[in-house]
Amino acid sequence: FEDEGAFSYIHLPYSLGFKKQKNLDFYNVKTSFTKLMYANAISGHNFFSGVHAQHYKGMTAIVGLNGFLSAGTRADDFENQSTNFFSLDATIHYEIPSKIYGFKVSYILNRLKMGENGGLADLRDTTLERFDYFYFLYPPKKHNPSDFLVENSNAKSNIINHDLLFQQFVKLQVQNKDFNLGYIVHSFQYKSFNINYQNPWFKDSLGLTTFYPTDTLVDSLRFYSIVNTLQWSSFKPFAELPNQKYFFHIAGGITHEYTQNRYSRNQNNSFTLFARTAIRLFSVTDINVEFLYSFLGYLHNNATVKGEMKWAIKRSKEHYLGVTADYYRISPDYFFTKYQGVQYRWDTTLQKQNVMKLSAYWTYNKLYASVNYFLLNRYLVLDENVKPYATEGFSSIIQLQVFTPVKIKDFGFNTTLCLQYSGNEYVPVPLFAGKATIYYIFRLVKKRLQLQLGVDMMYNTYCGADAYVPSIHQYRHQKYVETGNYFYLGAYLNLKIKRVGIFLRLDNPLAGIVGNHYFTTPYYPMQGLKFSFGVTWRFYD
């Protein structure tokens, strides 16, 4: 759980694709760098990504593009399964030679267009005995996914997100002296979302009642926010923390945020005071603390406190012990308070959520282990009837996470394991989830050619996962369908020749052999047998 202390109208469940400002990478290059990747699955799914960074006379410009395209019309696609997603980002960073002034401008465009088939209409008909494996060895009842009925055969979503950020700083330096009074930093950010869902044949799908008699269900959201932040900092912006034995850095300021929903004309003004500090003591102890408090508007009396302390056993080996403690008292997404759509609507008064997280972790090189404890109070979810519901009392979740990368010469074995328990049925988690990768590297042609053979394995126990509601792009609680308990296997071959990489991959070859219940979301099966290939190419001066 993480909250940024800003007004939130709605959280969209596309975090693996949608970029945010914190996801942007900075490339500290002397001249230029380019990396391109393209992958194609035989099933007609295309992946692509690219980044170019250019440095010129103190200015660094970075452009990135990534996306996923699938027409959803092939025989091994379910009906109305098209997906068209791309994310474009651009960043310009510049500091004058004296380093007393600098700025950064970054822009992100996320666009998603997809068919919203609503999942399979009847799970009793989903033995999925289809073209998962060699169908002449395992005669299928239904040859293609397109033979299965889905809830919505013509519904679609279109989501566009713009995110523009401008940051600048001025160094407060005493004239003719090598001494400064810190930095004044100003940030301006504009974010907008345009979300549209259409189901032209709504009457023929679920037979659900609506608030307006209609043959076409259209639900739209359009909102934007303007954020201005002014702060003083003892630490230079856009820079990494120094590698020193001692330091003490503090920053503090105020943020104003204006948000408007363009359809309901709902407006919100709020202010947030914040303070942060980063301290290193005796060269071995790092302390980070952050505090936020909001007043006025929908966020009035919101408060967040985050703290971390870690001890460096050996920094060169990234050997650390650490503890963290986070506490949030926050207003739920405004979406849970007031929403008016064709199919769903509510106007509720909700109390603030309280979330506490306590963690202890240990790291060594890339090995990582942690224990996390969450305490939830009035946590907001959508219930079985797609209505906002605040969980009662206090609920606990405990997690044990371990990541163990092992590499012995050219042999590698990586595992990610998670044991967890939730004390509330409205926050379902699998008891166990794990992933393992085994690989071996062959070095050929005087080590100019590198070939890597590997196998990926994934498994999680049964879990009553939440179900997806396409018209509002959210998940609702359900307890009748369990997902998981499926062994997912993938095999790959990577070849690397200087700056060029080529890979071949086979996913889910066990489909139809060890069962067909490969679901992570109710009613939405994962892909069956899939073969893909791709290429990456790096350019740099």
Side-chain angles (χ1 to χ4, degrees):
F1 182 88
E2 184 179 2
D3 184 83
E4 300 175 354
F7 178 90
S8 173
Y9 190 89
I10 189 173
H11 275 87
L12 296 176
Y14 311 118
S15 57
L16 294 180
F18 273 50
K19 275 193 174 182
K20 297 182 180 180
Q21 293 290 341
K22 65 180 182 180
N23 302 133
L24 298 183
D25 294 323
F26 179 74
Y27 294 82
N28 188 15
V29 295
K30 300 298 182 181
T31 53
S32 64
F33 171 79
T34 303
K35 181 181 179 181
L36 303 175
M37 187 278 286
Y38 172 76
N40 177 271
I42 298 301
S43 56
H45 302 160
N46 300 276
F47 306 83
F48 59 89
S49 69
V51 63
H52 175 74
Q54 184 76 45
H55 181 82
Y56 180 73
K57 292 185 176 180
M59 179 177 291
T60 302
I62 306 166
V63 179
L65 177 68
N66 65 86
F68 170 78
L69 302 175
S70 174
T73 57
R74 296 174 62 96
D76 50 359
D77 285 318
F78 288 91
E79 186 179 5
N80 194 27
Q81 194 179 318
S82 64
T83 304
N84 183 332
F85 168 77
F86 76 89
S87 177
L88 170 70
D89 62 86
T91 302
I92 296 177
H93 179 271
Y94 176 75
E95 293 183 17
I96 63 177
S98 64
K99 306 297 183 181
I100 64 172
Y101 175 79
F103 69 86
K104 182 178 76 171
V105 181
S106 53
Y107 169 73
I108 301 173
L109 169 64
N110 295 305
R111 178 161 186 171
L112 173 64
K113 299 177 69 175
M114 59 183 175
E116 295 277 19
N117 61 27
L120 297 172
D122 190 351
L123 285 180
R124 291 172 299 180
D125 192 34
T126 57
T127 54
L128 296 181
E129 295 180 38
R130 51 184 176 84
F131 196 76
D132 289 325
Y133 205 63
F134 301 106
Y135 73 95
F136 51 87
L137 295 178
Y138 301 91
K141 291 181 180 179
K142 297 186 176 182
H143 291 275
N144 302 313
S146 57
D147 294 329
F148 293 94
L149 295 177
V150 296
E151 290 287 4
N152 306 311
S153 58
N154 205 30
K156 58 184 179 181
S157 287
N158 188 7
I159 303 174
I160 301 177
N161 163 229
H162 299 275
D163 189 342
L164 173 66
L165 176 66
F166 173 71
Q167 294 178 301
Q168 58 181 335
F169 72 87
V170 176
K171 184 178 181 181
L172 303 177
Q173 186 170 356
V174 178
Q175 191 174 7
N176 299 325
K177 293 185 179 180
D178 189 18
F179 179 74
N180 73 81
L181 300 175
Y183 300 84
I184 297 295
V185 186
H186 170 254
S187 301
F188 168 85
Q189 186 175 17
Y190 171 82
K191 294 186 294 183
S192 70
F193 277 91
N194 194 338
I195 306 172
N196 182 267
Y197 171 84
Q198 294 185 14
N199 188 348
W201 300 342
F202 177 69
K203 275 191 172 181
D204 297 332
S205 58
L206 300 179
L208 298 174
T209 59
T210 62
F211 291 94
Y212 303 102
T214 178
D215 290 329
T216 300
L217 189 157
V218 179
D219 272 325
S220 298
L221 290 172
R222 191 179 183 189
F223 54 93
Y224 69 92
S225 63
I226 298 174
V227 183
N228 277 280
T229 300
L230 186 65
Q231 69 170 311
W232 173 85
S233 173
S234 67
F235 182 63
K236 180 182 176 183
F238 320 136
E240 296 181 352
L241 287 173
N243 187 19
Q244 299 174 347
K245 292 185 178 181
Y246 307 94
F247 60 73
F248 178 78
H249 297 301
I250 57 174
I254 188 170
T255 296
H256 170 257
E257 182 172 18
Y258 171 80
T259 303
Q260 182 182 106
N261 184 332
R262 293 184 176 178
Y263 290 121
S264 66
R265 296 299 179 183
N266 172 265
Q267 301 178 0
N268 177 75
N269 278 282
S270 61
F271 291 87
T272 299
L273 296 171
F274 63 89
R276 304 183 182 96
T277 184
I279 305 171
R280 177 168 294 172
L281 301 174
F282 313 114
S283 75
V284 296
T285 304
D286 290 347
I287 301 173
N288 299 291
V289 179
E290 181 178 7
F291 171 77
L292 297 90
Y293 175 77
S294 301
F295 58 96
L296 297 181
Y298 185 69
L299 303 184
H300 186 62
N301 270 339
N302 278 14
T304 298
V305 181
K306 301 180 182 180
E308 178 186 21
M309 179 181 292
K310 68 178 181 180
W311 294 268
I313 300 173
K314 192 171 184 179
R315 292 188 185 276
S316 61
K317 295 291 187 179
E318 297 184 5
H319 194 181
Y320 297 101
L321 280 174
V323 293
T324 66
D326 300 340
Y327 170 72
Y328 304 90
R329 187 187 69 213
I330 55 175
S331 303
D333 290 352
Y334 191 79
F335 167 82
F336 288 107
T337 300
K338 188 173 184 178
Y339 175 74
Q340 293 185 358
V342 176
Q343 187 176 352
Y344 306 107
R345 61 171 49 185
W346 50 77
D347 190 350
T348 59
T349 300
L350 300 171
Q351 294 180 296
K352 295 187 183 297
Q353 301 179 95
N354 292 278
V355 177
M356 183 176 68
K357 176 186 176 184
L358 303 175
S359 297
Y361 64 87
W362 172 70
T363 66
Y364 181 78
N365 284 335
K366 295 183 179 181
L367 191 149
Y368 177 85
S370 70
V371 177
N372 307 310
Y373 173 75
F374 297 85
L375 185 63
L376 311 178
N377 175 242
R378 293 192 289 270
Y379 189 72
L380 261 295
V381 298
L382 292 175
D383 64 15
E384 295 92 332
N385 299 315
V386 196
K387 296 292 183 182
Y389 174 75
T391 57
E392 299 176 355
F394 290 88
S395 304
S396 297
I397 299 175
I398 188 167
Q399 296 176 324
L400 171 63
Q401 295 178 317
V402 178
F403 174 63
T404 58
V406 176
K407 193 172 187 301
I408 304 173
K409 293 185 177 180
D410 292 328
F411 172 80
F413 179 66
N414 300 333
T415 59
T416 303
L417 306 175
C418 185
L419 287 173
Q420 49 195 3
Y421 167 79
S422 173
N424 193 310
E425 66 168 308
Y426 286 93
V427 189
V429 294
L431 179 63
F432 169 81
K435 177 180 179 180
T437 298
I438 303 174
Y439 64 88
Y440 189 84
I441 299 175
F442 299 88
R443 305 181 190 276
L444 309 172
V445 194
K446 297 181 179 180
K447 298 184 179 181
R448 294 179 181 178
L449 170 64
Q450 181 175 295
L451 186 149
Q452 182 184 32
L453 289 173
V455 176
D456 291 331
M457 298 166 284
M458 292 182 290
Y459 174 82
N460 65 269
T461 55
Y462 277 125
C463 176
D466 290 343
Y468 182 61
V469 184
S471 62
I472 54 176
H473 310 93
Q474 296 290 289
Y475 284 84
R476 66 168 177 87
H477 177 66
Q478 66 84 34
K479 53 186 178 182
Y480 300 106
V481 179
E482 288 188 323
T483 63
N485 196 32
Y486 181 83
F487 183 75
Y488 191 92
L489 181 69
Y492 63 88
L493 169 66
N494 293 337
L495 295 95
K496 182 180 179 182
I497 307 173
K498 294 183 178 180
R499 303 178 184 180
V500 179
I502 301 172
F503 68 87
L504 306 173
R505 183 172 182 88
L506 183 69
D507 280 296
N508 205 5
L510 299 180
I513 297 178
V514 298
N516 297 288
H517 50 282
Y518 36 91
F519 291 78
T520 56
T521 299
Y523 308 102
Y524 287 87
M526 300 168 66
Q527 290 184 334
L529 177 68
K530 183 182 71 172
F531 174 77
S532 57
F533 64 90
V535 60
T536 62
W537 200 339
R538 297 171 183 262
F539 307 85
Y540 49 86
D541 295 332

